Amino acid sequence: MYQPWTVKYKPKTLKEVVGNKEAIQKFVEWVKSWDRGIPPKRAAFLYGPPGVGKTVTVEALANDLKMELVEKNASDYRTEEAVKRFAGLASQYGSLFGTKRIILFDELDGLTGTADKGGVKAITDITKTAQCPIVLIANNAFDPRFAFLRNYCLLIEFKKPSTTDVLKHLKGICLKEGIEAEENALKFIAQRSEGDIRSAVTDLQALAQGKKRLTYDDVSWLGFRDRQETIFTVLRMILYGKTCEGAKRAVDMADVDTDMLFEWIYENVPAHLTDPHDLARAMDALSMADVYRGRIRKTQDWSFVRYVVDFMSAGVAMARVNTKTSGWTPFRFPERIQALSRSKEERAMQLEIGRKIKRRCHISATRAAKEVLPYLRIIFKNNVKMAAGIAKWLDLTPEMIEYVAESKEKAAAINKLLS
Ligand SMILES: Nc1ncnc2c1ncn2[C@@H]1O[C@H](COP(=O)(O)OP(=O)(O)OP(=O)(O)O)[C@@H](O)[C@H]1O
Ligand SMILES: [Mg+2]
């Protein structure tokens, strides 16, 4: 069974948490100070970048000190009522069996906008009167929404751990997995993660799981991390995957959702599976995935999602029979998504032109923009004289002409004929 290494190697005790020694020390002392009575600040506010161990620190500490951890994510306490239900009583009374309790409000950044004002207010109320340690976590503690709440909190900053610390953690994992890794390879992964241990561990798993050895060459093609790098790793695992398992695993590692991943695969299959039989097989698999996507959309029955995943990952990976891996083909951003995310102005312009067409052709402006505009585009690009005639007939503005012609020179020529 696939298990993410971030879960498998999640620190169970504070000793295993790497980096941020000072912050952790400060936090431990504050929690222990509760033994001597209620401290001036009843809440600790841990903040800092993602993947550095904020949540894990609280969990490991509760484990070390044998405390009961009452834990929720922001999505569970958007409203005042939800917060009170979750933490109101718990914060006031001891636990059933006399163990000490710690209450954690994680991922406070998730609370957004005015609708959640009640949530922050309720957390503040609880913090003022709590009889047990309250822990708050957010990436940014200095958001104005927390201004008032901050007064009641001991602020503890978590910083990005050093490359050396990340490296140490990766080495530990390799040791346990029985992977012999080149120092350089691990260093590369560590550097690339820029202090985000979660992403370092995910990368390591993507690159090294099931291997006996990990070399610098295995990892160096990755380049430096950004959002898209992760998708590139995933695409590579699918389009060049040798096993069904590996390809399916890649889907779990993607930091985009299944639909978006589908678009990525669909866009990139033709350039990476150049043999026509391979390509046909891959497209068959994708069309099957799409059939199940449609079924999910219609029935909202999400159990079909595993078929979608199987077809678009394993199905595509197994399509490669004849295509040789030669050279380096870059991955492309999905065109369909690009088209969707086209700027608002462009859509407004299309609609304006659509309205002009509507007046003459008696079809809806949207339909005109969708169905007529592409033909106009072909004409405007190839026949200046005809374009000028149409432009006059439709009463297009110079901006519209330029938009349809997609070229300043063509537009100038058309406008010249018009005047
Ligand atoms: N300091 C660390 N030492 C060891 N493992 C870590 C550390 N930080 C993160 N990890 C690994 O990354 C995973 C995620 O860490 P954690 O949830 O604590 O991050 P976080 O700081 O709370 O991030 P976020 O702001 O995204 O919630 C852990 O389960 C663990 O596997
Ligand atoms: Mg967290």
Side-chain angles (χ1 to χ4, degrees):
M1 198 196 74
Y2 169 71
Q3 189 187 24
W5 284 1
T6 48
V7 175
K8 191 168 173 190
Y9 298 109
K10 181 160 132 175
K12 288 184 188 59
T13 145
L14 282 176
K15 272 201 226 76
E16 292 166 9
V17 179
V18 302
N20 280 301
K21 289 297 167 227
E22 268 171 44
I24 294 172
Q25 185 62 25
K26 190 170 165 188
F27 179 53
V28 171
E29 271 165 21
W30 172 80
V31 173
K32 284 188 173 161
S33 76
W34 280 81
D35 288 343
R36 302 188 297 273
I38 295 176
K41 308 275 190 190
R42 301 182 195 215
F45 198 149
L46 316 188
Y47 65 98
V52 299
K54 299 181 297 297
T55 305
V56 143
T57 295
V58 182
E59 289 170 353
L61 171 117
N63 196 28
D64 284 352
L65 300 182
K66 307 254 170 323
M67 294 174 84
E68 178 198 7
L69 181 62
V70 184
E71 186 176 3
K72 279 278 194 304
N73 283 345
S75 52
D76 306 318
Y77 45 74
R78 302 210 159 277
T79 61
E80 183 164 354
E81 199 209 310
V83 172
K84 297 231 157 103
R85 200 173 341 114
F86 151 58
L89 280 180
S91 68
Q92 300 300 323
Y93 301 102
S95 68
L96 211 47
F97 303 105
T99 44
K100 285 174 286 182
R101 178 183 284 150
I102 192 164
I103 296 178
L104 170 60
F105 292 95
D106 203 350
E107 295 174 13
L108 286 186
D109 310 88
L111 294 172
T112 47
T114 45
D116 298 327
K117 269 217 181 97
V120 177
K121 182 182 167 293
I123 293 172
T124 314
D125 288 346
I126 286 173
T127 299
K128 284 192 216 164
T129 59
Q131 302 293 310
C132 69
I134 306 282
V135 182
L136 313 173
I137 299 184
N139 293 124
N140 177 15
F142 296 97
D143 188 299
R145 278 176 298 148
F146 307 139
F148 190 58
L149 173 59
R150 264 200 315 272
N151 294 328
Y152 302 95
C153 300
L154 175 72
L155 290 176
I156 302 179
E157 182 184 8
F158 275 65
K159 302 193 175 107
K160 292 177 174 179
S162 66
T163 305
T164 322
D165 282 333
V166 182
L167 186 63
K168 201 169 96 189
H169 189 61
L170 298 181
K171 275 184 183 163
I173 293 178
C174 286
L175 200 69
K176 287 181 198 135
E177 287 286 318
I179 298 164
E180 206 185 301
E182 280 179 8
E183 173 97 9
N184 265 348
L186 294 185
K187 211 171 189 171
F188 186 90
I189 297 175
Q191 269 165 356
R192 204 171 93 89
S193 73
E194 293 174 18
D196 182 340
I197 300 190
R198 184 194 284 120
S199 76
V201 172
T202 309
D203 280 356
L204 178 68
Q205 179 171 21
L207 294 162
Q209 190 166 42
K211 285 202 178 125
K212 288 264 168 300
R213 283 183 51 73
L214 184 73
T215 66
Y216 183 72
D217 284 345
D218 291 332
V219 304
S220 58
W221 59 269
L222 279 171
F224 277 83
R225 164 171 289 277
D226 59 37
R227 211 65 189 156
Q228 292 193 340
E229 290 292 343
T230 318
I231 188 77
F232 294 158
T233 312
V234 170
L235 282 178
R236 187 150 280 270
M237 289 173 75
I238 292 171
L239 294 174
Y240 294 87
K242 298 234 163 30
T243 64
C244 292
E245 262 329 291
K248 277 167 69 168
R249 213 161 55 209
V251 176
D252 290 329
M253 292 178 185
D255 57 2
V256 297
D257 65 18
T258 327
D259 282 336
M260 187 64 176
L261 184 58
F262 181 92
E263 294 298 335
W264 273 96
I265 298 171
Y266 175 76
E267 180 77 29
N268 285 287
V269 152
H272 292 260
L273 288 169
T274 43
D275 176 86
H277 297 287
D278 290 3
L279 179 57
R281 265 192 295 274
M283 283 307 193
D284 269 346
L286 284 179
S287 73
M288 285 309 291
D290 199 38
V291 166
Y292 285 107
R293 284 208 304 173
R295 209 171 284 181
I296 292 173
R297 231 171 287 134
K298 239 184 263 132
T299 61
Q300 289 298 309
D301 180 351
W302 285 87
S303 60
F304 290 123
V305 95
R306 52 169 204 279
Y307 301 120
V308 178
V309 167
D310 283 0
F311 278 114
M312 71 191 232
S313 60
V316 170
M318 291 304 109
R320 178 185 295 275
V321 179
N322 305 314
T323 308
K324 298 270 174 300
T325 7
S326 64
W328 158 258
T329 318
F331 290 117
R332 285 164 33 133
F333 189 87
E335 193 116 310
R336 279 208 286 208
I337 304 294
Q338 223 155 21
L340 280 180
S341 61
R342 255 194 219 134
S343 69
K344 247 197 194 143
E345 294 98 78
E346 183 162 6
R347 257 173 291 155
M349 171 65 96
Q350 288 179 356
L351 205 61
E352 281 297 304
I353 299 172
R355 287 208 187 96
K356 296 272 186 188
I357 300 170
K358 167 186 170 180
R359 258 189 261 147
R360 285 290 187 184
C361 303
H362 308 291
I363 55 174
S364 82
T366 2
R367 202 175 142 205
K370 236 194 257 148
E371 293 177 8
V372 179
L373 193 56
Y375 293 105
L376 290 187
R377 193 148 264 171
I378 295 170
I379 296 170
F380 275 50
K381 280 181 180 168
N382 295 298
N383 189 331
V384 174
K385 209 166 146 211
M386 195 189 259
I390 293 173
K392 190 163 175 216
W393 183 60
L394 289 175
D395 185 29
L396 299 183
T397 65
E399 293 81 46
M400 291 175 175
I401 292 173
E402 187 178 325
Y403 175 77
V404 179
E406 284 186 313
S407 129
K408 277 203 177 11
E409 293 82 58
K410 280 267 150 65
I414 296 168
N415 277 320
K416 206 168 138 208
L417 275 185
L418 276 176
S419 57

